[in-house]
């Protein structure tokens, strides 16, 4: 229902004439915009016929304080706006980070030899000394955290980094052999660990690794986090019922940072249940479900998570509060200060049209090929500003390619092919002979539909006819073709030798066809089209030939069914007009 109909229905209600004011909104628009309003005499007959009863009823309602004749919506506030889609349930969207465990973390086992690794029982340290004292051994770290150095005795190295172990060993040896001794140490290997992974993961269990393996390595071995129930923001590492670390995987997804606890044998990784969530949809790069660490999230934090597409201007916030459902519509600049709560849906939209369009020029002209124009620019304004080579440009044959026209042509062709397929492939046969004929025709139609579906319409819009150019309003993305004057004629379609020849006044279309070898056996000699430089397609028998034209000989439908032949011929003409191709069967 449009605005006019809505107001009309409100006017027809008894004692509610004044409420029609609620249908009008205060609207601030550019000076060039047209304001939609109702004439003063709209529904005047209805108003006069009900004047007495409505005024009496209105007076009574006003006395009761039930009538508010002030406008209800101020569109300048940014609070109200169109709602394009029904609300989305957060559970229906994939969680942010859903593809995290497709990167193969389980195939990247660590070696435990980084600079921050801490020595633990079971590790092995290579110690070499030369000079006054010689030693070359691999010393294991025993259960007490010691290595035994010959001539020096036990040395506790548990919990030390590799650099600290090197210093400790050096001091222990030089304390006994202070002069002319060189010492070298190296962490040879680490003791493997087995870590339990449980909670909301695909395959809870006990998984092997090294103490320095990443948390992601163990989670990936367990099949990753359950998308419906698992939390990406609350992952705990437990050791002997003590919390070692809490990991928020959003930090890794957004910034590449992640806690790196050094695992010990018997540690447990627990993935908590998913916390409160919100749904983010619309013009964003990440249309997903986002988990909250608490029950609320600021608009600024959400903008960092969702990553808006260019041109986003407004935000629709829908949800439920203690006093009922809400729906607020904000300019995106005001959204950062808003508070989003669990269960809300946030929809970002590019709800403002650009005041500038960009069109492209091709063909015979001087100057740049791209022009930025006002949104209401017309073709004549642009053509008046373009210089063309004098005597070389066919200014009367200007044409235009438009994306919306191309989409319409594609849809029309698709509909025609679907009707053809539905009508003739589903028909029944009364005799065996008729069934064989229909089988051959069905095979022909199937091949034809497959080939026709691969063709791409040009989207050409004919704007020049009869020596005049239609002064249409331009659209963003239009491509305007200014052709060069041609002295040739192209002969194509069902021709023995398709070719381009020099235009010769006085020759007919048949003369050009005979000069190109004549018609093929599949040609429909009565159906010859002329494709003009301006994009128009005309029948050759009704139009004179001009330089720059293309002679397009159509194929005939090789079927005996007259109705099928007529349908195929119509589609062939449709294809020729939209694609400039004479598709044979």
């Amino acid at each position: 229902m449009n605005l006019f109909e809505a107001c009309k229905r409100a006017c027809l209600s008894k004692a509610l004439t004044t409420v029609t004011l609620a249908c009008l909104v205060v609207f601030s628009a550019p000076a060039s915009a047209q304001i939609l309003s109702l004439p003063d005499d709209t529904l005047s007959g209805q108003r006069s016929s009900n004047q007495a009863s409505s005024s009496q009823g209105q007076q009574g309602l006003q006395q009761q304080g039930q009538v508010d004749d002030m406008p209800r919506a101020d569109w300048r506030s940014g609070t109200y706006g169109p709602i394009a889609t029904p609300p989305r349930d957060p559970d229906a969207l994939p969680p942010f980070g859903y593809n995290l465990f497709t990167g193969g973390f389980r195939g990247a086992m660590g070696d435990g030899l980084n600079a921050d690794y801490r020595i633990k029982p079971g590790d092995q340290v290579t110690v070499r000394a030369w000079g006054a004292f010689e030693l070359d051994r691999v010393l294991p770290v025993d259960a007490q955290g010691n290595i035994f150095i010959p001539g020096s005795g036990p040395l506790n190295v548990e919990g030390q980094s590799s650099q600290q172990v090197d210093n400790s060993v050096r001091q222990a040896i030089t304390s006994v052999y202070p002069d002319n001794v060189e010492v070298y140490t190296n962490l040879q290997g680490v003791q493997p660990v087995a870590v339990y992974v449980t909670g909301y993961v695909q395959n809870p269990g006990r998984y092997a690794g090294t103490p320095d393996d990443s948390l992601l390595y163990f989670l990936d071995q367990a099949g990753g986090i359950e998308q419906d129930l698992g939390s990406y923001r609350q992952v705990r590492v437990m050791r002997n019922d003590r919390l070692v670390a809490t990991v928020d995987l959003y930090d890794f997804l957004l910034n590449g940072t992640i806690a790196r606890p050094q695992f010990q044998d018997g540690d447990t990784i627990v993935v908590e249940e998913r916390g409160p969530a919100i749904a983010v949809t619309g013009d964003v790069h990440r249309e997903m479900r986002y988990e909250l660490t608490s029950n609320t999230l600021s608009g600024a934090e959400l903008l960092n998570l969702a990553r808006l597409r260019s041109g986003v201007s407004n935000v629709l916030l829908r949800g439920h509060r203690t006093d009922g459902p809400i729906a607020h519509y904000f300019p995106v600049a005001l959204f950062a200060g808003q508070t989003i709560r669990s269960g809300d849906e946030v929809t970002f939209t590019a709800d403002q049209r650009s005041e500038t369009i960009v069109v492209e020029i091709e063909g015979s002209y001087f100057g740049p090929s791209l022009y930025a124009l006002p949104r209401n620019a017309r073709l004549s304004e642009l053509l008046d500003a373009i210089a063309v080579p004098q005597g070389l440009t066919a200014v009367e044959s200007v044409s235009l390619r438009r994306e919306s026209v191309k989409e319409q042509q594609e849809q029309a062709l698709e509909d025609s092919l679907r009707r053809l397929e539905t009508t003739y492939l589903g028909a029944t046969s009364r005799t065996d002979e008729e069934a064989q004929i229909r089988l051959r025709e069905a095979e022909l139609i199937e091949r034809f539909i497959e080939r026709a579906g691969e063709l791409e319409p040009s989207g050409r819009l004919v704007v020049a006819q009869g020596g005049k150019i239609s002064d249409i309003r331009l659209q963003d993305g239009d491509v305007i073709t200014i052709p060069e004057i041609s002295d040739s004629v192209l002969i194509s379609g069902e021709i023995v030798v398709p070719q381009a020849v020099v235009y010769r006044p006085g020759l007919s279309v048949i003369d050009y066809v005979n000069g190109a070898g004549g018609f093929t056996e599949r040609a429909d000699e009565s159906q010859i089209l002329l494709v003009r430089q301006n994009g128009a397609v005309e029948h050759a028998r009704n139009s004179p030939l001009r330089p720059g034209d293309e002679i397009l000989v159509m194929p005939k439908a090789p079927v005996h069914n007259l109705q099928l032949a007529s349908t195929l011929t119509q589609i062939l003409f449709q294809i020729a007009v939209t694609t400039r191709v004479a598709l044979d069967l």
Side-chain angles (χ1 to χ4, degrees):
M1 183 189 301
N2 57 29
L3 177 61
F4 178 86
E5 293 170 337
C7 290
K8 183 176 180 180
R9 291 193 179 186
C11 291
L12 293 176
S13 300
K14 263 190 177 182
L16 290 179
T17 305
T18 310
V19 181
T20 58
L21 292 173
C23 296
L24 302 178
V25 296
V26 181
F27 189 86
S28 176
S32 60
Q34 180 180 351
I35 303 300
L36 177 63
S37 61
L38 297 179
D40 292 339
D41 59 349
T42 300
L43 305 177
S44 58
Q46 179 67 38
R47 186 178 295 114
S48 60
S49 63
N50 292 336
Q51 185 174 4
S53 60
S54 65
S55 60
Q56 182 180 359
Q58 178 185 346
Q59 195 172 23
L61 289 172
Q62 285 178 334
Q63 290 175 356
Q64 300 174 21
Q66 297 179 8
V67 175
D68 180 9
D69 61 356
M70 297 299 293
R72 296 176 59 193
D74 183 358
W75 289 76
R76 294 171 298 181
S77 66
T79 302
Y80 303 98
I83 298 178
T85 58
R88 296 278 294 273
D89 183 359
D91 291 335
L93 294 171
F96 178 59
Y98 74 97
N99 57 347
L100 178 60
F101 296 100
T102 60
F105 293 112
R106 73 183 70 182
M109 184 175 180
D111 56 15
L113 301 181
N114 68 74
D116 295 328
Y117 179 75
R118 301 292 172 176
I119 304 296
K120 58 187 291 294
D123 293 345
Q124 295 178 329
V125 180
T126 299
V127 178
R128 291 187 176 92
W130 62 95
F133 172 71
E134 293 188 359
L135 177 66
D136 187 357
R137 289 189 183 180
V138 177
L139 305 177
V141 181
D142 61 25
Q144 299 178 10
N146 298 325
I147 59 174
F148 189 86
I149 303 175
S152 298
L155 175 66
N156 188 275
V157 294
E158 183 177 5
Q160 295 183 3
S161 66
S162 58
Q163 183 62 45
Q164 290 171 332
V165 170
D166 184 79
N167 294 335
S168 297
V169 172
R170 190 180 303 277
Q171 290 176 5
I173 293 178
T174 56
S175 65
V176 179
Y177 305 97
D179 298 323
N180 196 25
V181 175
E182 298 293 335
V183 179
Y184 169 80
T185 64
N186 181 46
L187 184 59
Q188 182 70 24
V190 297
Q191 185 74 12
V193 296
V195 174
Y196 296 97
V197 183
T198 187
Y200 292 91
V201 293
Q202 298 291 343
N203 304 303
R206 187 169 181 258
Y207 297 95
T210 66
D212 200 51
D213 277 327
S214 167
L215 172 87
L216 299 173
Y217 171 77
F218 292 103
L219 288 176
D220 199 11
Q221 287 195 93
I225 296 173
E226 278 191 50
Q227 293 191 14
D228 293 334
L229 298 174
S231 172
Y232 285 78
R233 310 205 69 173
Q234 292 288 333
V235 182
R236 294 184 290 118
V237 179
M238 305 295 294
R239 181 175 300 152
N240 298 324
D241 297 327
R242 180 176 58 87
L243 180 64
V244 175
T246 300
V247 179
D248 184 348
L249 293 181
Y250 276 25
D251 292 336
F252 176 75
L253 290 165
L254 294 172
N255 307 312
T257 60
I258 188 172
R260 295 295 300 267
Q262 184 170 306
F263 289 99
Q264 294 184 11
D265 196 61
D267 284 353
T268 303
I269 299 173
V270 182
V271 176
E272 299 286 353
E273 184 179 2
R274 191 193 80 195
I278 61 172
V280 177
T281 61
D283 294 325
V284 294
H285 290 285
R286 298 167 176 164
E287 194 174 51
M288 298 176 184
R289 179 181 75 227
Y290 291 87
E291 185 180 350
L292 310 182
T293 53
S294 62
N295 284 325
T296 62
L297 182 74
S298 72
E301 292 175 300
L302 182 57
L303 291 174
N304 183 53
L305 288 172
R307 305 295 182 182
L308 307 187
R309 297 184 184 274
S310 60
V312 171
S313 60
N314 292 80
V315 188
L316 173 64
L317 173 62
R318 286 184 283 191
H320 292 271
R321 300 295 184 264
T322 55
D323 55 349
I326 63 160
H328 297 307
Y329 195 64
F330 305 98
V332 71
L334 301 179
F335 180 69
Q338 304 303 317
T339 299
I340 301 98
R341 299 184 181 276
S342 174
D344 286 353
E345 182 201 2
V346 182
T347 303
F348 293 92
T349 60
D351 206 19
Q352 290 181 345
R353 295 186 63 181
S354 172
E355 294 302 316
T356 302
I357 62 173
V358 177
V359 300
E360 182 180 352
I361 308 295
E362 64 178 14
S364 177
Y365 68 97
F366 294 121
S369 60
L370 295 177
Y371 285 81
L373 305 172
R375 186 157 57 91
N376 60 350
R378 292 190 170 273
L379 179 60
S380 63
E381 300 176 69
L382 177 60
L383 295 181
D384 288 344
I386 296 176
V388 298
Q390 187 174 5
L392 298 178
T393 305
V395 293
E396 73 284 351
S397 296
V398 172
S399 64
L400 183 148
R401 296 202 312 272
R402 178 169 289 176
E403 191 63 31
S404 60
V405 174
K406 177 181 177 181
E407 292 173 359
Q408 292 171 357
Q409 292 173 340
E410 287 177 341
Q411 186 61 50
L413 178 59
E414 182 181 342
D415 293 342
S416 298
L417 295 175
R418 187 182 298 113
R419 285 194 299 270
L420 174 66
E421 186 176 30
T422 303
T423 303
Y424 293 101
L425 296 187
T428 58
S429 303
R430 289 170 293 184
T431 64
D432 292 342
E433 182 180 0
E434 184 179 354
Q436 292 296 325
I437 295 175
R438 284 196 174 274
L439 178 60
R440 290 193 296 270
E441 290 178 347
E443 294 175 350
L444 173 69
I445 291 172
E446 286 181 348
R447 290 195 301 269
F448 173 72
I449 291 175
E450 182 179 356
R451 295 177 58 198
E454 297 174 353
L455 297 176
E456 185 175 354
S458 63
R460 184 73 62 181
L461 181 63
V462 180
V463 295
Q465 284 184 326
K468 297 181 180 180
I469 299 177
S470 301
D471 191 19
I472 65 171
R473 186 175 63 82
L474 297 174
Q475 294 183 8
D476 187 54
D478 283 350
V479 180
I480 300 162
T481 303
I482 306 175
E484 188 171 302
I485 292 177
S486 175
D487 54 6
S488 64
V489 173
L490 177 64
I491 310 161
S492 62
E494 295 300 327
I495 299 294
V496 174
V497 185
Q499 58 185 286
V501 299
V502 176
Y503 172 76
R504 294 181 181 179
L507 293 183
S508 67
V509 170
I510 298 300
D511 292 334
Y512 284 101
V513 171
N514 291 333
F519 299 102
T520 66
E521 294 181 356
R522 297 186 301 272
D524 188 345
E525 299 181 14
S526 64
Q527 302 295 347
I528 305 175
L529 303 181
L530 294 181
V531 182
R532 306 295 191 183
Q533 279 189 297
N534 64 353
V537 179
E538 304 171 1
H539 202 286
R541 65 169 173 261
N542 302 325
S543 306
L545 187 65
R546 296 196 294 258
D549 286 348
E550 176 183 357
I551 300 172
L552 190 62
V553 179
M554 300 296 296
K556 57 186 175 182
V559 292
H560 299 290
N561 186 321
L562 295 180
Q563 185 179 2
L564 175 58
S566 175
T567 302
L568 286 173
T569 301
Q570 291 176 2
I571 297 177
L572 288 172
F573 270 86
Q574 183 179 359
I575 291 173
V577 171
T578 59
T579 67
R580 300 180 67 169
V581 173
L583 183 67
D584 64 341
L585 283 78

